[in-house]
Amino acid sequence: MTAKLINGTEVAKAIREELTVEVSELKEKYSIVPGLVTILVGEDPASQSYVAAKNKTAHALGIHSEQVTLDVDTSEEDLLALVDKYNNDPKINGILVQLPLPKHINEAKVLYAINPDKDVDGFHPVNVGKMVLGEECFLPCTPHGILELLTRSGVETSGAEVVIIGRSNIVGKPIANLMLQKRNAGNATITLCHTRTKDMAAHCRRADIIIAAVGVPKMVTADMVKDGAAIIDVGVNRIGQAANGKAILAGDVDFEGVKEKASCITPVPGGVGPMTITMLMKNTVQAAKMAANLS
Ligand SMILES: NC(=O)c1ccc[n+]([C@@H]2O[C@H](COP(=O)([O-])OP(=O)(O)OC[C@H]3O[C@@H](n4cnc5c(N)ncnc54)[C@H](OP(=O)(O)O)[C@@H]3O)[C@@H](O)[C@H]2O)c1
């Protein structure tokens, strides 16, 4: 079997087209322009490129976007004051503080300072709590993107055995929570694996769906995959540099081997990655609608 490719670039494009229509309707009918601010502390090249991509996408969709870049030595107090300023700025519906922050800043303190109604990353405990309870809230972008990929690719999750590898707060734990909810792209039976899991390969071999969010290149190999399983590869690992200077990326799944056994699979790049930024835009539009009591 050669797996069907789950093309995140195409799915993201379709959602962005829907959002463009929604943004222009908000403007025409209600004079509302959704606003996003991204706050970056320091000059980490990967963070710089993530923030630039977020602003570029926002701009392309007609979302007002502001980018603030602060010196790496910025104090926690000054960063908290900036977050507070945007909490009170009616032009801004979504506040994104790019992680990781420098070590002298308490990340949790900053994330918790964001007004939960502007927490478009979905990391504030109010939103995390609502997500676990199955209430309406901002869903964290990468897990939200995975749900959209599964739904739009017709992967059945109800009753499926899902093995998730990785238990981070931004991917593993939230996707596990979301897929056990009684709703679309949910109703699955979840196994969550991590470094203390005894026989991960055995868990994987009985999975209908494997979601790998580990950060170890090509860790999931064909011998760990059941025939016909659906594979979502979240990993983004730099494994080298091409002659043109561009990073060579690999996922957490050995794509070439696994695609011969799986029924469908996301590539890296071009799978989960494009969905993450797209769901940030979706949350920002949602925040603007909420602020105007439209949803
Ligand atoms: N495409 C996107 O938009 C996107 C978004 C976010 C992340 N990512 C990528 O996804 C990957 C994971 O990111 P993350 O932030 O979730 O990572 P993380 O915070 O480093 O967590 C990694 C998780 O994997 C587990 N793990 C590590 N090595 C393992 C092993 N050998 N066997 C079993 N479990 C193992 C860890 O277990 P312990 O908890 O026991 O340490 C941990 O729970 C990275 O490659 C990252 O770049 C991509």
Side-chain angles (χ1 to χ4, degrees), residues 7-23:
N7 188 331
T9 306
E10 285 299 316
V11 176
K13 189 168 163 241
I15 298 174
R16 287 177 196 191
E17 281 166 8
E18 293 163 15
L19 286 173
T20 306
V21 173
E22 211 175 340
V23 169

Side-chain angles (χ1 to χ4, degrees), residues 142 166-168 170-171 194-195 213-216 219 234-237 273 276:
T142 302
R167 56 176 163 183
S168 71
I170 62 166
V171 190
H194 44 77
T195 52
V214 195
V216 177
M219 192 185 81
V234 185
V236 180
N237 306 291
T276 298

